[in-house]
């Protein structure tokens, strides 16, 4: 009996660390230098934390500010060939000048988040 406790203890610690690392990998930073629309909500310029729950192709994005949920929206995870070199966003603009957050890239990550909606004229905005 004592032997099984010694075996389970060391196995439990790496499993908990792995679970923590997986969760930590599913968040990133978002800096908006101008107000942008997302999921029918206007986000003011500012700094946000972006979180998603798993690595499925379609997930729910949660944008947080100061620890509170600001907006939630369905997104598609896009796997990149190479890790992004910086945090950046893609903004779509329609012919009337209305802007919408379309895609989010995270520095050092090989995934981007594609926010559901129609893709229109694009411009890339580096967050740095």
């Amino acid at each position: 009996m004592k032997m099984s406790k010694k075996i389970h203890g060391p196995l439990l610690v790496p499993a908990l660390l792995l679970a923590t690392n997986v969760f930590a990998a599913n968040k990133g930073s978002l800096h908006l230098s101008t107000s942008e629309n997302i999921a029918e909500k206007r986000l003011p310029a500012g700094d946000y934390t972006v979180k998603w729950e798993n690595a499925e192709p379609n997930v729910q994005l949660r944008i947080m500010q100061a620890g509170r949920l600001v907006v939630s929206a369905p997104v598609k995870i896009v796997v990149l060939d190479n890790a992004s070199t910086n945090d950046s966003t893609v903004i779509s603009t329609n012919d009337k000048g209305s802007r919408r957050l379309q895609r989010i890239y995270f520095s050092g990550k090989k995934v981007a988040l594609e926010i559901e909606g129609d893709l229109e004229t694009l411009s890339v905005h580096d967050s740095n």
Side-chain angles (χ1 to χ4, degrees):
M1 198 74 147
K2 287 183 183 181
M3 188 171 216
S4 69
K5 286 184 182 179
K6 289 181 183 178
I7 292 172
H8 291 299
L11 294 177
L12 183 59
V13 172
L16 289 174
L17 290 174
L18 180 61
T20 302
N21 288 339
V22 169
F23 180 74
N26 292 335
K27 76 178 199 178
S29 298
L30 171 64
H31 173 77
L32 296 177
S33 55
T34 59
S35 294
E36 303 297 346
N37 292 314
I38 179 172
E40 300 180 15
K41 181 170 175 122
R42 187 105 176 132
L43 285 182
D47 294 311
Y48 300 89
T49 300
V50 178
K51 296 181 180 183
W52 60 100
E53 293 300 323
N54 56 41
E56 298 292 322
N58 297 303
V59 297
Q60 195 68 18
L61 166 71
R62 294 178 297 149
I63 298 179
M64 317 283 287
Q65 189 174 48
R68 68 176 179 84
L69 179 65
V70 177
V71 66
S72 180
V75 297
K76 178 181 177 185
I77 294 178
V78 177
V79 178
L80 307 173
D81 291 335
N82 299 305
S84 182
T85 57
N86 53 15
D87 291 333
S88 59
T89 58
V90 175
I91 306 298
S92 66
T93 308
N94 67 17
D95 57 354
K96 295 178 183 174
S98 179
R99 299 163 51 99
R100 185 174 64 79
L101 185 60
Q102 184 70 41
R103 188 178 277 194
I104 307 170
Y105 293 90
F106 303 101
S107 179
K109 294 192 189 276
K110 291 181 82 173
V111 296
L113 301 179
E114 178 84 24
I115 298 154
E116 292 186 0
D118 293 331
L119 194 61
E120 298 159 337
T121 306
L122 297 181
S123 58
V124 176
H125 298 274
D126 190 344
S127 296
N128 294 333

